[in-house]
Amino acid sequence: MALNTSADAPLPVGEVSRLIGGWIDRLGSVWVEGQITQLSRRPGAGVVFLTLRDPSHDISVSVTCFRQVYDAVADVVSEGARVVLYAKPEWYAPRGQLSLRAVEIRPVGIGELLARLEQLKRTLGAEGLFAVERKKSLPFLPHRVGLVCGRASAAERDVLENARRRWPHVRFEVRNVAVQGVHAVTQVVQAVKELDALPDVDVIIVARGGGSVEDLLPFSDEQLVRAVAACATPVVSAIGHEPDSPLLDLVADLRASTPTDAAKKVVPDVGEELERVRQLRDRALRHVQGLLEREERGLAHALARPSMEHPHRMVDEREQEVESLVARSRRVLGHLLDRADSELAHTRARVLSLSPAATLERGYAVLQRADGAVVRSPDEVAAGDELRARVFEGEFAVRVAE
């Protein structure tokens, strides 16, 4: 229930602490999982003190238990071990401190850890975090390589030496972090996010030189997997542990078997690239030479043709053909004109023989009235009518007699 307080009516610290303790007491006992980071087991003391930490969220809580509770698992539980304990939350009012009173401690075995990892793997895979289509390709020659590794570790040395041996001018942005233990997840996640935020970092390598299954658990943490999946920069996983693949290998854009293999896959070899350039140059030269030789043969073949050796011969041969065709066309045209002239003369003769002028030439005359109508019958005229008589060489006036 919310408390009715104000600046004029505040609660004393002791009352607030007492109320918090009452609320925590009502929580009851719970099962809690975490990693032991600090363990205090004083000789002769009846109580064992330890700190239980959640490596994924960097949250810790104090735990106390009676000596006999811890002695039951003392042979298999130590600092760094993952445990599941049954405890009741307690509130220490004088100091305002929360702790857990454990009544049972169970170590988390390798089989159980692997089973949980398999379940997490299925869950993240169902979300598509391991899909091939979401993986980004690595740049051919990165300007700067981000490296997340242990301080002064063999993994760091292998990556730097092999990369610089392959490409001497390669530059690195190194983040030294804890690669195992309770602080590994937090530091690796922070380093990956820092490198991903740098605009000149083209690829990120997360490297570690192998280890036991327990040592590699931070590289299967859900928080780290999701951080790598959210990176805009390509990420290379170089955890040198072949038998068991951490989940980082599945979410990374490229998996390298070892840190040395990561350097080989991220940075090209200058000698190999120079040799490839030389081969390509020789191949291009051979191609150009082959093209020139083929064109030269074609040109020589074209120049060897008769039309190219004696270009006027074709003109001379065509000249004779043209003259023959011109003469033939003239003969044909002459025949056509002669025949047309004969037909025209014949037609003209027929026209002349049938024309009225020819009839008039033989002595006939045509009588016409004043309106130009031809007189065809005596009944068409009367005595005294003025007519025109048309003859071959002209016309004259006549009058009809009574």
Side-chain angles (χ1 to χ4, degrees), residues 344-361:
L344 180 59
H346 181 66
T347 302
R348 183 172 179 276
R350 287 198 307 168
V351 170
L352 291 177
S353 63
L354 296 176
S355 68
T359 303
L360 295 176
E361 187 178 4

Side-chain angles (χ1 to χ4, degrees), residues 143-161 163-164 170-179 187-188 190-196 198 200-208:
H143 294 85
R144 188 180 293 271
V145 179
L147 177 60
V148 181
C149 58
R151 185 180 301 278
S153 62
E156 179 181 5
R157 184 179 64 254
D158 291 344
V159 173
L160 296 180
E161 290 182 357
R164 287 167 179 163
V170 64
R171 296 180 298 170
F172 278 90
E173 188 74 27
V174 181
R175 293 291 184 273
N176 294 123
V177 298
V179 292
Q187 294 184 13
V188 173
Q190 181 180 357
V192 169
K193 291 182 177 179
E194 288 180 2
L195 293 174
D196 184 47
L198 297 178
D200 58 342
V201 172
D202 297 324
V203 62
I204 300 173
I205 301 176
V206 181
R208 176 193 162 91

Side-chain angles (χ1 to χ4, degrees), residues 256-283:
S257 58
T258 61
T260 300
D261 184 46
K264 294 180 179 179
K265 291 183 177 180
V266 170
V267 180
D269 185 88
V270 63
E272 294 177 358
E273 297 305 321
L274 289 175
E275 177 63 20
R276 184 176 291 109
V277 170
R278 186 191 64 78
Q279 294 176 357
L280 292 174
R281 182 181 58 195
D282 294 342
R283 180 181 176 184

Side-chain angles (χ1 to χ4, degrees), residues 84 96 106 125 187 215-216 245 252 261 310:
V84 174
R106 297 181 183 180
Q187 294 184 13
D215 293 339
L216 298 181
S245 177
D261 184 46
H310 305 284

Side-chain angles (χ1 to χ4, degrees), residues 17-273:
S17 181
R18 186 188 66 79
L19 291 173
I20 293 175
W23 294 330
I24 292 177
D25 287 339
R26 289 195 294 271
L27 179 61
S29 300
V30 292
W31 286 98
V32 184
E33 179 186 357
Q35 186 177 22
I36 297 177
T37 58
Q38 294 180 358
L39 178 62
S40 177
R41 185 185 179 192
R42 298 176 182 176
V47 178
V48 177
F49 297 91
L50 53 92
T51 300
L52 194 66
R53 184 175 184 274
D54 185 345
S56 300
H57 299 86
D58 196 17
I59 298 176
S60 301
V61 64
S62 298
V63 179
T64 60
C65 65
F66 291 113
R67 188 178 187 88
Q68 58 268 27
V69 174
Y70 180 78
D71 288 344
V73 294
D75 295 336
V76 293
V77 170
S78 60
E79 285 191 10
R82 287 179 177 263
V83 296
V84 174
L85 51 85
Y86 187 66
K88 186 178 185 306
E90 292 183 346
W91 180 257
Y92 186 60
R95 293 185 181 178
Q97 183 177 358
L98 174 68
S99 64
L100 298 176
R101 171 72 67 171
V103 296
E104 182 179 355
I105 300 177
R106 297 181 183 180
V108 178
I110 297 298
E112 187 175 356
L113 287 176
L114 294 177
R116 293 182 182 179
L117 289 180
E118 187 63 27
Q119 177 62 35
L120 178 61
K121 177 181 176 181
R122 289 195 295 267
T123 302
L124 298 178
E127 295 181 19
L129 269 64
F130 306 149
V132 176
E133 55 270 15
R134 63 163 295 277
K135 296 184 180 298
K136 298 174 285 294
S137 58
L138 272 60
F140 166 71
L141 180 60
H143 294 85
R144 188 180 293 271
V145 179
L147 177 60
V148 181
C149 58
R151 185 180 301 278
S153 62
E156 179 181 5
R157 184 179 64 254
D158 291 344
V159 173
L160 296 180
E161 290 182 357
N162 284 278
R164 287 167 179 163
R165 188 180 301 119
R166 292 171 63 84
W167 199 277
H169 297 289
V170 64
R171 296 180 298 170
F172 278 90
E173 188 74 27
V174 181
R175 293 291 184 273
N176 294 123
V177 298
V179 292
Q180 70 181 59
V182 295
H183 302 290
V185 174
T186 303
Q187 294 184 13
V188 173
V189 170
Q190 181 180 357
V192 169
K193 291 182 177 179
E194 288 180 2
L195 293 174
D196 184 47
L198 297 178
D200 58 342
V201 172
D202 297 324
V203 62
I204 300 173
I205 301 176
V206 181
R208 176 193 162 91
S212 64
V213 176
E214 295 90 337
D215 293 339
L216 298 181
L217 285 177
F219 298 97
S220 294
D221 188 86
E222 180 179 0
Q223 183 182 0
L224 176 59
V225 172
R226 294 190 180 278
V228 171
C231 283
T233 308
V235 178
V236 177
S237 173
I239 310 301
H241 191 71
E242 291 291 345
D244 300 303
S245 177
L247 298 185
L248 178 63
D249 288 349
L250 302 178
V251 73
D253 299 291
L254 179 67
R255 177 187 181 273
S257 58
T258 61
T260 300
D261 184 46
K264 294 180 179 179
K265 291 183 177 180
V266 170
V267 180
D269 185 88
V270 63
E272 294 177 358
E273 297 305 321

